[in-house]
Amino acid sequence: MVAHPDLQTQFDLRVAEDQRIEPKDWMPEPYRRTLVRQISQHAHSEIVGMLPEGNWITRAPSLRRKAVLLAKVQDEAGHGLYLYSAAETLGTSREQMIDDLHSGKAKYSSIFNYPTLSWADMGVIGWLVDGAAIMNQVPLCRTSYGPYARAMVRICKEESFHQRQGYEIMMTLAKGSEAQRAMAQDALNRWWWPVLMMFGPKDDESPNTALSMQWKIKRFTNDELRQKFVDATVPQAEYLGLNIPDPDLKWNETRGHYDFGPINWDEFWEVVKGNGPCNRQRLEARRKAHEEGAWVREAAAAYANKRKAKSEK
Amino acid sequence: MFEANPYPEEVNAALSDFLLRMADTSLVLGHRLSEWCGHGPILEQDIAMSNLALDLIGQARNWYQLAAVQLGQGQSEDDLAYLRDAGQYRNVLLVELPNGDFGQTVLRQFFFDAYHYHYLKALTESGDENVANIAIKSLKEATYHLKWSSEWVIRLGDGTEESHRRMENALRELWEFTGELTTPNETDQLLTIMGLTPDLNLIRPLWEQQVQVVLAEATLEIPNRAWMQKGGKNGVHTEHLGFLLAEMQFLQRAYPNCEW
Ligand SMILES: [Fe+2]
Ligand SMILES: [Fe+2]
Ligand SMILES: [Fe+2]
């Protein structure tokens, strides 16, 4: 499909002027495709991301923690819902996107392929995983596609709430017994590197970045965001009295940033390919929920049809 | 926070027993519903079940806090929830039953909501203002819960052949656990005489009426089996509760005396 030159020019101008693109506006096909891929991937991440934390709802150590964790995981479901709706405005149905997730065609954030092994993981996930998500997502509140930007505004508000709650769990553990501190440190050890990988491959290996930046879908590169995250997180870890598991981590006066050690990109690509510790289990859990829910969805549809037929009589 | 109302020892013991029952029942059901989180049949209903669970856990916290105050032994809501074993739990049996499929969860919820709604409504008139206040707050939520579960019972009962068959199965599984909801024990009898809780014998016809109307619309038949299980209110439970508590209480038991 060849773009009408005027339409393409109009589109480029609007993006350049930081105006929002809306669902009814003309847009280039690759822009639409990129958005559907990115938004649906984000939606899937919210939904799959419910599983690792969902693990601990029934084991939360106090009634308050139980309620807060459940509300948090429920928020993630809500985020998935807004994002599927935003992606649907681009002409792809939720059903289709979910099928793509279940067939393995669509991706979701690799971080959720790591297991949650202790209660402290609930703290670290809120603090670091939601924290990294915020770093990634705050710029998306100004992304060029209107429905996506608006969804992100709502989501980011809740994510920062999650981050505070996670940090509060860490504070409690850090101030707690020897065993609790060890639990907190162990969780940080296991999650630190996977969290740094959440920002995606290095800039020179990130094929989609340039175009996404030009379209103002993305506004910072992966490495920029990763650095920002490290800089923000190091003092927080120090405040907790926990050690970040990186011997190369140190403040660089000239750069005005923290230097950090090399990321194990082989691990990253293995997890992306499906070889993380929980890839199979996560997808399996989603597929199972979907398949076991089929009769419910069919019944709801059948009942709605009966009602409609009755009211038309 | 609550301030304890003074009662004669025997009445206070019954009141505490009742408060624990209200708390345990809401907590156990909320816990069961929370097991669905991330695994629901439809994203919207996944969210709805978490809402119910959150309401119920919130109600449980209120009841535990009041129970702790009336017990007067310096326990916290968490001590009561996490450090009592199955034999000390006072929830009705219905709510501890496993979720089963979505139909069974929905029907369990409906049976409970139909009782809970009418009971809380009457409980707003309790002679104890703390109890009345918690009932008033909880009633708003229970009203919504009853609407949600009634609609789903009807939808699934009158949906497809498969959903109808599944609801019939759920009815067979659950029916014998419904009697306990509206059967008074010694605690209820004493508290009703004292004007602190409604007479369950007056709640039963309201529950039956509600159930008849909804099941009829769902094209489901009420089983004609008369036998009803009971025991939860007196601490004699099904085999399921021990496992539920083992999971729920694990951290508090494995790491005693910690702040979380
Ligand atoms: Fe989220
Ligand atoms: Fe997110
Ligand atoms: Fe979050």
Side-chain angles (χ1 to χ4, degrees):
Chain A
M1 190 171 57
V2 181
H4 190 287
D6 293 348
L7 291 172
Q8 178 73 52
T9 315
Q10 263 177 30
F11 173 86
D12 291 340
L13 261 172
R14 292 185 67 171
V15 171
E17 285 169 4
D18 274 335
Q19 286 186 43
R20 291 275 159 80
I21 305 299
E22 294 299 333
K24 291 211 173 79
D25 295 338
W26 182 89
M27 62 188 86
E29 267 322 295
Y31 174 84
R32 185 187 298 273
R33 268 202 309 276
T34 301
L35 276 171
V36 170
R37 195 194 68 227
Q38 183 173 331
I39 302 173
S40 65
Q41 196 168 313
H42 190 170
H44 299 328
S45 300
E46 302 285 353
I47 299 306
V48 177
M50 295 170 73
L51 299 170
E53 286 179 286
N55 261 337
W56 282 87
I57 292 170
T58 54
R59 288 178 288 174
S62 73
L63 294 177
R64 184 172 78 89
R65 293 289 182 208
K66 195 184 194 66
V68 168
L69 181 61
L70 177 55
K72 185 205 166 172
V73 180
Q74 185 197 34
D75 282 349
E76 308 301 2
H79 298 171
L81 212 51
Y82 311 153
L83 288 163
Y84 283 129
S85 305
E88 281 188 313
T89 63
L90 293 157
T92 307
S93 70
R94 197 208 293 189
E95 194 57 26
Q96 178 63 52
M97 291 184 267
I98 289 174
D99 285 347
D100 288 347
L101 171 69
H102 294 170
S103 71
K105 194 176 147 207
K107 298 277 177 240
Y108 57 88
S109 177
S110 281
I111 194 72
F112 301 120
N113 291 317
Y114 289 85
T116 49
L117 303 179
S118 81
W119 171 251
D121 291 25
M122 300 305 99
V124 168
I125 289 180
W127 171 35
L128 299 182
V129 174
D130 287 83
I134 293 167
M135 283 283 170
N136 270 328
Q137 291 169 12
V138 165
L140 292 176
C141 297
R142 295 187 296 128
T143 195
S144 56
Y145 187 57
Y148 190 24
R150 286 187 289 273
M152 289 319 302
V153 172
R154 292 174 73 175
I155 290 174
C156 282
K157 262 188 219 149
E158 294 180 351
E159 300 294 10
S160 46
F161 210 64
H162 298 166
Q163 191 194 18
R164 278 204 300 278
Q165 288 160 351
Y167 195 69
E168 201 224 319
I169 291 177
M170 295 308 284
M171 288 271 279
T172 310
L173 295 174
K175 282 192 300 196
S177 69
E178 197 58 52
Q180 285 177 303
R181 272 196 300 282
M183 200 186 271
Q185 182 63 57
D186 169 68
L188 178 56
N189 293 348
R190 281 182 289 109
W191 288 92
W192 175 253
W193 292 106
V195 165
L196 290 194
M197 295 175 199
M198 279 178 72
F199 295 93
K202 281 181 293 193
D203 291 347
D204 45 17
E205 283 165 26
S206 175
N208 303 317
T209 293
L211 214 47
S212 286
M213 298 275 284
Q214 184 196 318
W215 284 329
K216 294 192 181 168
I217 294 175
K218 251 177 119 144
R219 287 173 170 268
F220 295 98
T221 71
N222 297 348
D223 285 331
E224 283 167 353
L225 289 168
R226 187 163 18 241
Q227 181 70 60
K228 244 173 104 159
F229 176 79
V230 171
D231 291 346
T233 305
V234 173
Q236 295 168 357
E238 279 169 1
Y239 188 76
L240 293 171
L242 297 176
N243 300 315
I244 289 179
D246 178 358
D248 298 324
L249 186 81
K250 62 168 185 297
W251 178 251
N252 182 325
E253 197 63 61
T254 36
R255 284 204 314 126
H257 291 292
Y258 281 94
D259 290 337
F260 52 94
I263 290 171
N264 182 349
W265 291 111
D266 291 341
E267 176 181 325
F268 174 81
W269 291 115
E270 281 304 323
V271 181
V272 169
K273 269 190 281 176
N275 298 325
C278 300
N279 292 59
R280 235 169 3 90
Q281 291 83 341
R282 299 292 186 240
L283 262 193
E284 213 31 63
R286 284 314 312 161
R287 278 196 210 110
K288 185 164 174 273
H290 194 71
E291 278 161 22
E292 288 180 356
W295 71 272
V296 177
R297 296 189 298 275
E298 283 158 19
Y303 179 75
N305 283 336
K306 281 187 204 175
R307 290 292 293 243
K308 205 168 137 223
K310 258 189 215 157
S311 69
E312 275 166 7
K313 246 188 257 166
Chain B
M1 277 302 126
F2 302 104
E3 241 170 79
N5 283 321
Y7 292 105
E9 206 180 310
E10 195 194 354
V11 176
N12 195 53
L15 180 61
S16 305
D17 186 56
F18 160 82
L19 293 170
L20 286 173
R21 179 206 302 166
M22 295 302 284
D24 293 342
T25 297
S26 287
L27 177 59
V28 169
L29 185 57
H31 181 100
R32 281 293 187 219
L33 285 164
S34 79
E35 293 172 358
W36 273 104
C37 183
H39 307 277
I42 308 170
L43 197 44
E44 285 82 348
Q45 299 316 317
D46 199 302
I47 293 173
M49 284 188 281
S50 291
N51 266 332
L52 304 192
L54 282 166
D55 286 347
L56 288 165
I57 293 167
Q59 292 170 17
R61 294 182 66 185
N62 287 327
W63 292 121
Y64 280 128
Q65 286 164 17
L66 183 54
V69 165
Q70 291 297 148
L71 285 163
Q73 289 158 17
Q75 288 150 307
S76 67
E77 57 175 31
D78 289 329
D79 293 336
L80 293 174
Y82 288 86
L83 301 178
R84 285 181 308 134
D85 205 349
Q88 296 167 293
Y89 259 67
R90 289 291 178 266
N91 61 278
V92 293
L93 301 176
L94 177 73
V95 297
E96 72 197 43
L97 300 177
N99 288 334
D101 63 16
F102 180 72
Q104 196 168 319
T105 293
V106 154
L107 189 63
R108 181 186 64 194
Q109 190 66 35
F110 169 67
F111 285 149
F112 174 75
D113 292 340
Y115 142 81
H116 203 209
Y117 169 79
H118 290 291
Y119 191 66
L120 287 173
K121 208 166 157 186
L123 196 60
T124 61
E125 316 267 307
S126 169
D128 184 292
E129 74 280 6
N130 289 330
V131 170
N133 283 335
I134 300 178
I136 290 166
K137 262 207 272 178
S138 308
L139 180 61
K140 280 189 208 137
E141 296 168 343
T143 308
Y144 166 75
H145 297 185
L146 178 59
K147 181 171 183 290
W148 181 86
S149 59
S150 302
E151 285 171 2
W152 272 104
V153 167
I154 293 166
R155 209 173 269 139
L156 296 177
D158 192 20
T160 60
E161 241 170 74
E162 179 179 7
S163 71
H164 184 82
R165 181 178 52 72
R166 282 174 182 267
M167 292 310 276
E168 283 177 333
N169 281 340
L171 258 174
R172 270 196 295 279
E173 283 293 320
L174 299 178
W175 184 251
E176 66 188 291
F177 295 98
T178 58
E180 193 184 22
L181 291 166
T182 53
T183 305
N185 71 356
E186 317 73 58
T187 291
D188 295 301
Q189 284 158 3
L190 177 58
L191 295 177
T192 299
I193 292 171
M194 299 301 297
L196 297 176
T197 63
D199 184 354
L200 277 169
N201 292 311
L202 302 178
I203 303 299
R204 184 172 318 119
L206 300 173
W207 182 87
E208 284 170 350
Q209 166 74 13
Q210 191 92 39
V211 167
Q212 269 162 16
V213 169
V214 169
L215 290 192
E217 206 183 330
T219 68
L220 291 166
E221 263 171 57
I222 292 178
N224 48 20
R225 239 175 343 149
W227 176 253
M228 287 291 170
Q229 304 289 345
K230 63 176 195 299
K233 290 181 184 181
N234 292 322
V236 183
H237 290 275
T238 68
E239 291 179 341
H240 304 294
L241 184 65
F243 290 100
L244 184 152
L245 294 181
E247 187 172 337
M248 185 174 89
Q249 299 178 338
F250 145 69
L251 279 165
Q252 289 267 358
R253 303 285 195 183
Y255 304 89
N257 304 316
C258 287
E259 287 291 319
W260 296 96

